[in-house]
Amino acid sequence: MAKMAIIESIARVLVILIAISKITVSLYEDQIDKFDWKQSYVGKIKFAHFDSVKRIIVGTEENVIAALNLKNGQIFWRNVLEDTNQIEFLHVDKEVISVSGNQNTYYVRGWDLNSGVLLWEWVLHPEKDNGRWFIHGRNLIHVVAVLNSHVEVSEYDVQSGKNKGVSSRLSTPWINDLKRCGLAETYFVCLSSDDSNGQIYYIDLTPGEEAHVISKPLTNLIGNAPGKVTIKEFKYTEPAILLIRNNVARLVILKQSDTVVLPNSFSPDAIIINNNDQIQFMDLSTNDDSSNLRIKTMELAGQDNVIDVEYLNSLGKPKALTGICRGNACRMLFTTTTDVVGLLQLPTGKILWTREESLSKISGVEFVELPVSDLDASIEKEFTPSNDVIAMLYNRLLSQTRQLSSLLSGQQLKSNKLIRDEFGLHKLIIIATNVGKLFALDSLSGEIIWSVTLPDIEPFKIFDKESIILLEQRNARYAPLTAEYILVARNIKTGKGVLYNFDPITGEPKDGLKYLDYKIKQIMLLPYEDESHLKGLLILSDEDKPYLYPENMQQILYQTHLSSTYMYTINSITGILNGFNFVHSTKMNLKATPTWKLTFKPSEIVAVSVRPAIERVHSQGRVLADRSVLYKYVNPNLIALATLTEDPIHKHVLSVYLIDGVTGLIIYSINHKRAKEPIHLVHSENWVVYSYFNEKFRRMEMGSLELYEGARQSNSTAFSSHALSQLPHVETLSCILPAYPLAMVATLTERGITNKHLLIALANGGVNEMPWMFLEPRGQHILSSPDEGSVPYMPELPLVTEATINYNQSLARIKGINVSPARLESTTLVFVHGLDLFYTRVMPSKTFDMLKEDFDHWLIVMVLVGLIVSSYVTKQLALRKALRQAWK
């Protein structure tokens, strides 16, 4: 009995612990992935190796080492290395060995093959750069070639980094160009020239072996046909390289005594797959006008086999990376010119999976509002003004019939998921990548709706950032007219402008790619529309000549908006700002007239920020504690600009300027001594926030500026930059940011009623939501008191863990944050991009305009029913009482 009692008590304790654990999970993890999603990428693949039938070990140009699942392409594990250290060498054996670094500092690391855990690490500081690496046994060999002189060979223990001896020097006067050299396992190979009359030299660098230089004329190996000869490293069962001429490769096997040239001709991008000691050469190719992928398999002693499979040209031109075979089944990893990574199964030719790695290099983002359903569009037609009463009655009856049939069937356009929801939370995210690929992502799931590849385009370089411009010419609110967006980029070959009109909902092009015959200096979306609700573009060429797109906007501009249209340009190289107007234009000739000019040289312009065009300011003033009003200085033409100046005393001086973009007037400026990059600048409403690195105290700091007109508002009806009576009063604040910021942006809502928060992307992978009240300046006109809702000044900003919007999902190498307002005033949609993509919603003032999820609907229904019944009973009792009093 005692044992049974003990067992029962233990069982009760276990039940209680299980119950508590389930309650804990429901409290802390029920919101994960409900309103947000995350996608992880590795970047364009540089090294690839099949570890087993389960994993593919890859090293990428984004300095990432990862293991991909062979079945579905998902990431088993991923290690993100330093941003500035390129991966120079990757070797996979019992563990993964990587060499990364630059500028005479290299990190040699060993990673666990199964988990990606760091096993060991050591640092190497060679005297010379541009080295090559290979593994010999358990030793790491470092090879450095000096032009027209010698080759230095150093040997290190791969785990400890211990030098195995003094570096050896081998005389190699025949090295005259490092681009014509390569490694073939332990052989160092070079060409004396890039034509057929040259020589091939190679030397065995195996430790302990006597080095002999072997040379052969290229004519003896590949003949004397005309054409440039190049060398390419190639993985083979023996030391070998490829000699390429006229896009045809010949395989040269290197030996101590002689060289062997295979009689077969290969593609320069061919790979080998060893299948049961049988060597197969494989290559991928496709034609621009064909939708088939051609897989060519060749055996040294057999016939060539060709397999054609269906292939989407939007994926780009393919290139084989590596492969593996198990019996008759082979799998090949390939990449494309658009950074797509995929796995191909042979001999069926089926593409098992693909990964869009170009999404790790995003250069343009825009949110697109979805169109209404056909039923909602028909309801809107009921209220179309018309003089025909019969037509109005017919539209009303037809619309109500559709509503009734939809209600009875219970299917209200469920087949089309791309329709606008009631609160505007469902949108499309249009993304442009550096490789010229355009995507549309569903904001609810992150699913790729459509993708388009645009050939020969590249992003603009703006302040050391690559940017492709996406502009909304017409949104989806004007049914039956479709939405229309335009992409603006550069031509890779000529550097001139490229325009691409498309429907953001379907991805269908409007006019196709339009190649301009001039370079783009500045572009502006006009704030007015034509009769089809389409906004035009005003483009300024590099010769300061304006153009309009479409051309029919010139008549509208000339008739009504010529005197109120202004444009400015910023040249980060020359440090010059220019302002233009168009008052001297004629009906047939548009002319840009320079009006002002600012020169900041020798300072360097490092950051520029303007207010979002769709931002609304709800309150024009601020109510103080004494019930007086302090009016905001809200200038829609204000430019916030930051410059860095080299100073012999203070090293670096950061200057922040507030400039009117119409008149060129510097409204305010502030300087910070011994401040340097990184600089991040955010301008919203009547305030500006910026961050910088303080060299004196070696910490990140943030400054904020808030602009007020005073007790009277000078522009009460419409703002005019030419009607400035006095400069605004500026309140300032400076504080410490205990973190390293990567990007900053302010929240954006539909009407501007919700409190403003600052979203700060940090180097630790988190995105922190900072209320504006912590950065709000406290000046002599604004006293901090509980009545105002202000908080006391804190020198160090609090980074609350609960304010991290991505909770425990760390985001690697964040490059930007984009926000968009929902139709709910309380909600802002947030999209974070970098090596990872993350989407979520934030509510700066909480959900004041909607019910909570745990709201008790049954309780409110019962209360309402009870009130209705009690009111009816009370009414009857009151009538009886009145009747009795009347008979008295």
Side-chain angles (χ1 to χ4, degrees):
M1 294 297 292
K3 292 182 179 181
M4 291 296 296
I6 294 173
I7 293 173
E8 289 179 359
S9 61
I10 293 175
R12 291 173 182 174
V13 171
L14 290 175
V15 170
I16 294 173
L17 290 176
I18 293 172
I20 294 175
S21 65
K22 288 188 175 182
I23 292 173
T24 304
V25 170
S26 65
L27 287 174
Y28 290 95
E29 296 187 6
D30 59 341
Q31 297 295 319
I32 293 178
D33 295 334
K34 192 170 186 179
F35 303 116
D36 58 81
W37 48 262
K38 176 189 175 184
Q39 297 177 0
S40 298
Y41 297 92
V42 296
K44 184 177 181 179
I45 292 182
K46 188 176 181 181
F47 303 96
H49 188 279
F50 278 88
D51 166 53
S52 62
V53 294
K54 294 182 179 180
R55 290 185 300 265
I56 309 174
I57 308 300
V58 297
T60 70
E61 294 183 358
E62 296 293 323
N63 305 329
V64 173
I65 299 175
L68 302 181
N69 191 330
L70 194 61
K71 293 183 179 180
N72 51 29
Q74 294 182 357
I75 299 175
F76 268 130
W77 53 262
R78 183 186 67 174
N79 292 312
V80 181
L81 307 185
E82 297 82 0
D83 193 13
T84 57
N85 293 341
Q86 294 291 328
I87 300 176
E88 301 290 342
F89 176 73
L90 188 70
H91 177 78
V92 179
D93 195 3
K94 294 181 179 179
E95 61 268 325
V96 181
I97 301 172
S98 67
V99 179
S100 61
N102 55 16
Q103 298 180 354
N104 301 328
T105 300
Y106 291 92
Y107 298 89
V108 183
R109 297 180 172 103
W111 313 89
D112 183 76
L113 201 57
N114 298 317
S115 62
V117 174
L118 181 64
L119 302 177
W120 40 263
E121 175 187 35
W122 52 275
V123 183
L124 178 63
H125 299 283
E127 296 180 358
K128 296 181 178 62
D129 205 354
N130 299 324
R132 289 176 168 85
W133 315 81
F134 68 89
I135 295 290
H136 182 72
R138 296 301 297 172
N139 297 328
L140 177 67
I141 312 300
H142 184 212
V143 182
V144 179
V146 180
L147 293 178
N148 304 314
S149 179
H150 63 275
V151 170
E152 295 184 6
V153 182
S154 303
E155 185 178 356
Y156 303 92
D157 183 85
V158 72
Q159 290 191 0
S160 64
K162 182 180 179 181
N163 197 331
K164 294 291 184 176
V166 180
S167 300
S168 59
R169 292 191 177 189
L170 305 176
S171 178
T172 53
W174 31 268
I175 299 178
N176 51 30
D177 189 352
L178 294 179
K179 294 181 180 180
R180 294 199 293 264
C181 296
L183 271 179
E185 293 187 5
T186 61
Y187 286 87
F188 188 75
V189 191
C190 282
L191 302 181
S192 61
S193 63
D194 57 0
D195 55 21
S196 301
N197 297 324
Q199 296 271 336
I200 182 172
Y201 296 89
Y202 61 95
I203 183 172
D204 190 1
L205 304 179
T206 303
E209 297 289 338
E210 186 177 357
H212 294 285
V213 178
I214 301 175
S215 64
K216 293 286 183 181
L218 289 178
T219 55
N220 295 349
L221 301 178
I222 58 174
N224 58 356
K228 184 179 179 180
V229 181
T230 58
I231 188 173
K232 183 179 180 181
E233 297 178 357
F234 188 76
K235 291 183 179 180
Y236 193 61
T237 56
E238 300 178 77
I241 51 99
L242 288 180
L243 291 180
I244 304 170
R245 182 176 56 195
N246 299 328
N247 205 32
V248 176
R250 299 291 296 273
L251 184 64
V252 180
I253 302 174
L254 308 176
K255 296 182 179 181
Q256 282 283 8
S257 57
D258 199 1
T259 56
V260 177
V261 181
L262 296 185
N264 311 77
S265 298
F266 306 99
S267 167
D269 296 328
I271 63 170
I272 68 162
I273 300 179
N274 194 349
N275 185 10
N276 296 327
D277 297 331
Q278 184 179 4
I279 299 173
Q280 293 180 342
F281 290 82
M282 291 189 178
D283 182 36
L284 300 178
S285 62
T286 183
N287 298 325
D288 295 337
D289 56 349
S290 175
S291 60
N292 290 337
L293 175 66
R294 174 158 294 182
I295 308 163
K296 185 177 181 181
T297 305
M298 180 173 54
E299 298 178 359
L300 295 179
Q303 296 181 350
D304 299 348
N305 296 322
V306 177
I307 302 174
D308 290 334
V309 298
E310 293 184 0
Y311 183 76
L312 297 177
N313 283 332
S314 60
L315 296 179
K317 185 178 179 180
K319 176 185 176 182
L321 291 175
T322 185
I324 188 173
C325 288
R326 291 291 185 269
N328 295 327
C330 296
R331 293 184 178 182
M332 179 192 297
L333 186 72
F334 69 93
T335 185
T336 70
T337 52
T338 59
D339 293 354
V340 174
V341 179
L343 189 68
L344 192 64
Q345 183 174 338
L346 300 174
T348 59
K350 181 181 179 181
I351 298 178
L352 299 180
W353 51 261
T354 58
R355 291 179 57 89
E356 292 284 355
E357 292 299 334
S358 63
L359 288 172
S360 64
K361 295 183 291 186
I362 293 177
S363 53
V365 177
E366 280 292 329
F367 283 82
V368 177
E369 189 174 7
L370 293 171
V372 298
S373 64
D374 294 339
L375 180 60
D376 294 336
S378 64
I379 294 175
E380 292 182 2
K381 291 181 181 179
E382 294 182 18
F383 305 98
T384 304
S386 176
N387 296 326
D388 191 353
V389 179
I390 303 299
M392 294 176 64
L393 178 62
Y394 173 75
N395 290 335
R396 171 67 64 86
L397 294 176
L398 182 62
S399 175
Q400 291 183 353
T401 303
R402 290 176 179 174
Q403 294 179 53
L404 181 61
S405 62
S406 175
L407 181 63
L408 294 177
S409 62
Q411 296 179 354
Q412 189 169 349
L413 292 174
K414 290 183 179 179
S415 60
N416 184 12
K417 61 180 180 180
L418 296 180
I419 58 174
R420 190 187 310 169
D421 61 332
E422 184 178 0
F423 299 128
L425 301 174
H426 188 194
K427 293 188 177 185
L428 282 185
I429 306 174
I430 305 299
I431 295 175
T433 63
N434 289 12
V435 296
K437 199 163 187 180
L438 202 59
F439 295 91
L441 268 62
D442 192 336
S443 65
L444 296 183
S445 61
E447 176 189 357
I448 296 177
I449 304 300
W450 56 261
S451 64
V452 176
T453 301
L454 306 178
D456 299 331
I457 71 167
E458 65 178 0
F460 298 98
K461 292 186 178 180
I462 305 175
F463 302 111
D464 297 330
K465 294 183 179 180
E466 295 183 333
S467 176
I468 291 179
I469 302 172
L470 295 169
L471 298 172
E472 179 190 85
Q473 290 190 283
R474 182 173 58 216
N475 56 32
R477 297 181 180 181
Y478 302 103
L481 297 175
T482 60
E484 189 167 334
Y485 269 59
I486 188 166
L487 177 144
V488 186
R490 289 181 16 155
N491 191 324
I492 294 179
K493 301 177 181 178
T494 63
K496 297 180 180 180
V498 178
L499 303 180
Y500 178 71
N501 284 84
F502 62 97
D503 184 347
I505 309 301
T506 62
E508 295 294 329
K510 297 291 185 179
D511 300 325
L513 278 173
K514 181 179 179 62
Y515 294 95
L516 307 179
D517 56 356
Y518 53 86
K519 295 182 179 180
I520 297 177
K521 187 177 183 179
Q522 178 67 289
I523 188 167
M524 182 178 72
L525 184 68
L526 296 176
Y528 42 84
E529 305 170 348
D530 60 6
E531 62 278 0
S532 62
H533 304 285
L534 191 72
K535 294 182 179 180
L537 296 182
L538 181 58
I539 306 173
L540 192 67
S541 70
D542 56 341
E543 298 178 353
D544 294 340
K545 181 174 177 57
Y547 297 88
L548 281 172
Y549 181 83
E551 295 180 356
N552 62 347
M553 296 298 298
Q554 184 162 344
Q555 184 177 1
I556 302 175
L557 176 64
Y558 179 78
Q559 290 177 352
T560 56
H561 302 282
L562 196 63
S563 61
S564 60
T565 303
Y566 298 86
M567 178 180 279
Y568 66 89
T569 61
I570 301 176
N571 193 323
S572 60
I573 299 176
T574 61
I576 297 177
L577 275 70
N578 289 295
F580 300 89
N581 65 15
F582 303 89
V583 294
H584 296 94
S585 301
T586 62
K587 190 174 183 180
M588 302 301 296
N589 184 23
L590 191 63
K591 182 180 180 181
T593 304
T595 56
W596 56 269
K597 179 180 179 180
L598 292 176
T599 303
F600 291 97
K601 278 294 184 182
S603 301
E604 179 187 3
I605 302 175
V606 293
V608 175
S609 179
V610 295
R611 277 184 53 201
I614 61 174
E615 183 183 51
R616 294 190 180 184
V617 181
H618 175 69
S619 175
Q620 294 294 324
R622 174 174 181 173
V623 180
L624 303 181
D626 58 356
R627 298 309 173 202
S628 63
V629 177
L630 192 62
Y631 288 98
K632 300 176 182 178
Y633 178 77
V634 184
N635 185 350
N637 308 315
L638 197 64
I639 307 169
L641 183 142
T643 65
L644 273 180
T645 308
E646 299 288 339
D647 188 85
I649 300 176
H650 305 293
K651 295 185 178 180
H652 302 91
V653 177
L654 169 66
S655 302
V656 178
Y657 299 91
L658 302 182
I659 305 170
D660 192 295
V662 172
T663 62
L665 175 65
I666 298 179
I667 295 174
Y668 182 79
S669 65
I670 188 172
N671 298 324
H672 296 274
K673 300 173 183 177
R674 301 194 67 178
K676 60 179 295 187
E677 293 177 315
I679 309 296
H680 299 285
L681 195 62
V682 176
H683 175 29
S684 177
E685 290 194 0
N686 67 318
W687 50 268
V688 176
V689 173
Y690 55 94
S691 66
Y692 58 91
F693 181 75
N694 190 320
E695 292 182 292
K696 182 178 180 180
F697 298 104
R698 304 189 63 81
R699 66 192 183 193
M700 295 300 303
E701 294 184 357
M702 295 187 70
S704 62
L705 310 173
E706 199 167 20
L707 287 74
Y708 290 97
E709 292 190 38
R712 294 184 178 182
Q713 192 174 16
S714 58
N715 299 307
S716 57
T717 56
F719 183 87
S720 175
S721 295
H722 296 287
L724 182 63
S725 58
Q726 62 180 4
L727 293 177
H729 172 75
V730 181
E731 300 284 355
T732 63
L733 179 139
S734 184
C735 49
I736 303 168
L737 179 65
Y740 188 90
L742 299 177
M744 289 196 308
V745 72
T747 57
L748 199 62
T749 55
E750 183 78 7
R751 299 291 176 180
I753 302 174
T754 308
N755 293 334
K756 284 285 186 178
H757 282 194
L758 198 67
L759 301 177
I760 308 174
L762 306 177
N764 62 3
V767 180
N768 194 273
E769 187 177 1
M770 178 72 65
W772 163 243
M773 64 177 64
F774 289 111
L775 294 161
E776 194 171 17
R778 286 85 168 167
Q780 58 180 352
H781 299 282
I782 307 174
L783 302 177
S784 297
S785 66
D787 295 337
E788 302 176 61
S790 300
V791 298
Y793 170 71
M794 290 178 286
E796 183 172 316
L797 292 173
L799 293 180
V800 185
T801 307
E802 289 78 4
T804 302
I805 63 174
N806 55 322
Y807 42 97
N808 63 343
Q809 301 193 86
S810 296
L811 306 178
R813 207 169 290 156
I814 300 174
K815 297 178 181 178
I817 307 175
N818 294 83
V819 295
S820 177
R823 297 182 67 184
L824 280 176
E825 173 57 29
S826 63
T827 306
T828 299
L829 310 180
V830 182
F831 178 70
V832 186
H833 62 89
L835 200 56
D836 296 327
L837 305 184
F838 180 75
Y839 169 85
T840 188
R841 311 171 191 168
V842 295
M843 285 71 70
S845 298
K846 298 185 179 181
T847 52
F848 60 85
D849 51 359
M850 64 183 300
L851 297 176
K852 295 183 179 180
E853 294 180 355
D854 56 352
F855 184 80
D856 198 338
H857 295 82
W858 286 109
L859 178 62
I860 194 67
V861 168
M862 288 188 292
V863 170
L864 290 175
V865 171
L867 290 175
I868 293 172
V869 172
S870 60
S871 63
Y872 180 79
V873 172
T874 304
K875 178 182 178 181
Q876 296 299 325
L877 294 176
L879 289 175
R880 290 183 180 182
K881 183 177 180 181
L883 182 62
R884 289 172 185 166
Q885 290 179 352
W887 282 97
K888 288 182 180 180

